[in-house]
Amino acid sequence: MTTTRRTGLRTALLTLPLVVAGVLGTAAAPAQAAPHHQKSLTCRGAGVDPKAAVRAKGETVIDAPLSTIWKLQTDVRRWPSWQSPVDSVERLDHGPFRAGSAFRWTTPLPPNPATTAPTLTVTSTVQQLKAGSCIRWTGPAVADGLHIDGVHVWNFTKVKGGVLVRTEETHTGPQVEADVPAATEILHDGLEGWLAELKAAAEARDC
């Protein structure tokens, strides 16, 4: 892969809202990568794509009530208020956030060799959910010339000092599969960014 193409891939993926990528210039403690020997996360028995070559995990302990963390994560229409890469979110269903809920969200996509589209659009559908415990959603991130399918699992566990939040995600698609090591690194950085902003927002509300 040429330097230009690699840079284009990195630019596109760094704005991918499925991973809410981008390194955050905040005082929040960075998420810690989960050890590779850990089993894949699941929600109600379902996990990430077992065939995906691009996969990453992350975890952090948040010093805030589980109810606060869960509300931030599941009130998706308010994501733009605490997730800097998210421009807009639209719920595609009504009522409580539950299995079957769907939402469409967008993020700016800077000009790059992969696509001339200004915006990346993700449509996510919750496949499994257990209140206060886990969420699993799937969905594509698309723009002209760019298509990435993601599967994302979240686990929430009360521990001493707060709540252990763990997450795992897989990506498939020609753009990410063209450079698996780079895409994996970017996905990992994106999960850390999401966890760091969730931690910062939850702990700020609990002050």
Side-chain angles (χ1 to χ4, degrees), residues 90-190:
E90 176 190 6
R91 275 285 299 269
L92 303 179
D93 65 314
H94 301 284
F97 193 75
R98 61 194 184 279
S101 289
F103 51 103
R104 182 176 297 117
W105 39 323
T106 64
T107 191
L109 188 59
N112 65 85
T115 178
T116 59
T119 302
L120 192 67
T121 301
V122 184
T123 303
S124 297
T125 301
V126 178
Q127 304 294 343
Q128 287 82 23
L129 180 148
K130 184 176 180 180
S133 178
C134 67
I135 312 168
R136 177 180 177 269
W137 63 61
T138 62
V142 298
D144 290 341
L146 179 65
H147 185 111
I148 301 172
D149 287 305
V151 182
H152 204 162
V153 179
W154 292 86
N155 285 182
F156 305 83
T157 307
K158 290 183 179 180
V159 296
K160 183 177 181 179
V163 176
L164 173 63
V165 180
R166 295 184 295 162
T167 187
E168 183 174 10
E169 185 168 7
T170 53
H171 284 174
T172 56
Q175 286 77 24
V176 294
E177 290 163 3
D179 191 338
V180 171
T184 300
E185 179 183 357
I186 292 164
L187 177 57
H188 177 262
D189 290 346

Side-chain angles (χ1 to χ4, degrees), residues 4-64:
T4 299
R5 288 181 181 274
R6 185 184 179 96
T7 301
L9 170 66
R10 181 174 295 273
T11 301
L13 291 177
L14 280 173
T15 59
L16 179 62
L18 273 172
V19 298
V20 188
V23 178
L24 305 172
T26 69
Q32 300 299 313
H36 293 295
H37 66 269
Q38 287 187 0
K39 293 181 180 180
S40 287
L41 301 181
T42 62
C43 184
R44 294 192 177 275
V48 293
D49 186 343
K51 298 180 180 179
V54 178
R55 60 183 57 236
K57 296 180 180 180
E59 64 180 49
T60 193
V61 174
I62 301 178
D63 185 11

